[in-house]
Amino acid sequence: MILVLSPDTRPESSEYKQLLTHLANLPGISTRVHTEVGSEQTLTEVYLIGNTKPLPIEDMQSLPCVERVVRISEEYRVLGRHKNDNRATYFDYNGVRFGQDTLNIFAGLCAVDTLEHVELMMQALRDNGQICTRMGAYKPRTSPYSFQGHGKVCLPYVFELAGKYGIKVIAMEITHESHLEEICEALYVTGNPTGIMLQIGTRNTQNFELLKIVGRQQEFPVLIKRGFGITLDESLNAAEYLASEGNRKVVFGLRGMKTNMGDPHRNFVDFAHVPVVKRLTRMPVCIDPSHSVGLRATSPDGILDIMHATAQGIIAGANMVLVDFHPVPGKALVDGPQALLIKELPLFLEDVRIARQAYEQRAALAEHYRDA
Ligand code: PEP
Ligand code: MN
């Protein structure tokens, strides 16, 4: 059970103390308080843990400071969407809103290779009105002999260039606690020119210790990719690890499933799960058409498979797109074959706009028939 308190409830107020004393006396129930400091107001939620079934909603509703009571199901307690649960489905980070109603494009390099390529990418993003990107510095690779990413060496110039070109959020995968420290250090020495969305890659979806570390910090939001060989439920529980440790700024990413059933695509596109994740949880949903499709094939209509997959995710209501671009894909050190060309960025963005408009029309149509 969650007690949602009135906005701006002060912890030092006598009503709040009265509430906590009352809860402390409930037999077999422990409490966990979560405070979310937003730009407009501070929201406090009190989680009641234990057997809350005998507690009548009306009684809990009448306690001091309590605005609303949500009876939660066992699954995805924090991030889940429960019955009569109208808690927020968005968060703000570095001036950018991420929600189940918004759409943000993260076009960029799969892996940082040279400063020149980073700059060409960021310049193109700025020229096309983009404020988010993807830039991999730490690359988990299948072979130990493959390029592993430049790591902390590249962070200062990546962050400085992001500041120069007005990039507000960079999605960047980390695979170890030390990477988080290196990112914090590089942001500090460069004067915080940009923001970071930490990415948990598909190979680490169930690295629970990493999830706990990333969940304990609340500075950076997190994009957690679905595990490529586990069930959706298992991946959603992995996301819940982040929230249970305190970080609710979580985006859930679909990136295709590992199976030869999807051949010739690199992974089997799973974007039909966009609305499913939005129904089961309050997380914004990201799609990664590049790692799903994995190649630059074009169908007879002249549209790249990657753009078809992108449109399929967006027309189903996706809220974020992570997509690989490269100025010279032939020279990319990672995933060149799936990179879109910089000159294709305006086309890609226009294609996204068309798909998003179609989604909005579909949602409006559904609403019209629901109200009729
Ligand atoms: C990536 O986005 O660079 C990546 C490695 O993705 P995934 O974890 O989905 O394979
Ligand atoms: Mn990649």
Side-chain angles (χ1 to χ4, degrees):
M1 181 178 276
I2 308 169
L3 309 183
V4 181
L5 307 192
S6 313
D8 297 320
T9 293
R10 286 178 304 114
E12 61 281 3
S13 67
S14 60
E15 290 88 350
Y16 182 73
K17 286 183 183 142
Q18 224 179 315
L19 169 70
L20 288 195
T21 311
H22 179 87
L23 298 176
N25 288 325
L26 293 175
I29 301 285
S30 59
T31 57
R32 192 160 171 173
V33 179
H34 180 89
T35 309
E36 194 84 35
V37 183
S39 49
E40 282 135 45
Q41 55 188 16
T42 297
L43 290 175
T44 307
E45 293 176 1
V46 183
Y47 282 73
L48 304 190
I49 299 150
N51 182 14
T52 56
K53 280 213 186 76
L55 302 174
I57 295 249
E58 308 74 51
D59 290 8
M60 304 312 286
Q61 196 107 48
S62 64
L63 293 173
C65 306
V66 175
E67 189 179 79
R68 220 168 53 247
V69 179
V70 179
R71 209 183 265 294
I72 53 174
S73 41
E74 275 306 296
E75 282 190 325
Y76 332 130
R77 290 181 190 195
V78 182
L79 293 175
R81 228 181 223 284
H82 308 288
K83 199 160 172 262
N84 301 323
D85 183 0
N86 55 359
R87 290 175 300 154
T89 53
Y90 66 84
F91 62 83
D92 294 305
Y93 174 64
N94 209 24
V96 185
R97 177 157 290 194
F98 295 89
Q100 287 196 334
D101 292 331
T102 60
L103 176 60
N104 294 295
I105 309 300
F106 283 63
L109 305 182
C110 176
V112 172
D113 42 28
T114 67
L115 183 150
E116 291 70 30
H117 290 159
V118 172
E119 179 146 29
L120 283 171
M121 188 68 233
M122 296 218 185
Q123 202 167 11
L125 291 167
R126 189 218 32 211
D127 294 348
N128 285 279
Q130 297 303 299
I131 54 169
C132 299
T133 189
R134 58 157 298 147
M135 290 280 154
Y138 307 97
K139 300 304 300 178
R141 305 302 303 281
T142 303
S143 164
Y145 308 112
S146 302
F147 172 64
Q148 305 281 312
H150 286 309
K152 70 173 176 185
V153 178
C154 69
L155 299 180
Y157 71 75
V158 171
F159 295 169
E160 274 164 5
L161 286 170
K164 178 174 170 189
Y165 291 103
I167 300 294
K168 301 225 163 295
V169 188
I170 305 176
M172 181 173 279
E173 176 165 358
I174 65 165
T175 61
H176 192 268
E177 185 172 13
S178 58
H179 302 160
L180 180 57
E181 290 156 13
E182 289 167 8
I183 287 172
C184 289
E185 168 75 15
L187 280 174
Y188 177 74
V189 299
T190 53
N192 288 303
T194 187
I196 302 295
M197 179 179 280
L198 300 173
Q199 188 175 321
I200 302 289
T202 195
R203 291 158 188 82
N204 274 309
T205 307
Q206 284 188 314
N207 182 340
F208 299 118
E209 297 312 313
L210 180 64
L211 296 176
K212 286 183 202 166
I213 287 158
V214 171
R216 251 174 248 141
Q217 64 78 38
Q218 292 185 34
E219 184 178 351
F220 306 112
V222 185
L223 165 65
I224 179 166
K225 296 271 198 94
R226 177 185 192 170
F228 56 24
I230 56 177
T231 63
L232 182 63
D233 174 60
E234 285 164 334
S235 289
L236 295 178
N237 269 300
E240 182 73 11
Y241 261 89
L242 299 164
S244 75
E245 292 291 332
N247 193 338
R248 295 162 167 218
K249 296 189 173 105
V250 183
V251 177
F252 189 78
L254 298 171
R255 46 83 69 216
M257 303 302 290
K258 198 169 198 60
T259 158
N260 289 103
M261 302 297 168
D263 290 357
H265 289 164
R266 183 175 175 185
N267 289 286
F268 201 15
V269 181
D270 54 350
F271 299 167
H273 275 165
V274 168
V276 178
V277 178
K278 288 171 84 172
R279 178 169 76 238
L280 294 176
T281 78
R282 296 177 297 118
M283 288 184 278
V285 180
C286 174
I287 52 164
D288 179 341
S290 303
H291 289 83
S292 298
V293 171
L295 63 138
R296 280 184 55 92
T298 306
S299 59
D301 54 20
I303 302 173
L304 286 162
D305 286 15
I306 290 177
M307 294 206 199
H308 270 302
T310 305
Q312 286 158 13
I314 289 179
I315 207 167
N319 307 113
M320 179 170 151
V321 182
L322 199 67
V323 55
D324 292 2
F325 274 77
H326 198 282
V328 202
K331 288 194 178 168
L333 297 177
V334 185
D335 286 347
Q338 69 193 28
L340 300 182
L341 308 171
I342 294 221
K343 67 169 195 253
E344 289 169 332
L345 183 59
L347 160 70
F348 181 83
L349 294 172
E350 179 60 9
D351 202 40
V352 162
R353 196 193 59 74
I354 292 168
R356 176 68 182 178
Q357 196 175 32
Y359 166 69
E360 283 167 357
Q361 285 172 356
R362 293 177 61 226
L365 181 70
E367 195 175 323
H368 175 80
Y369 275 88
R370 195 168 49 234
D371 295 344

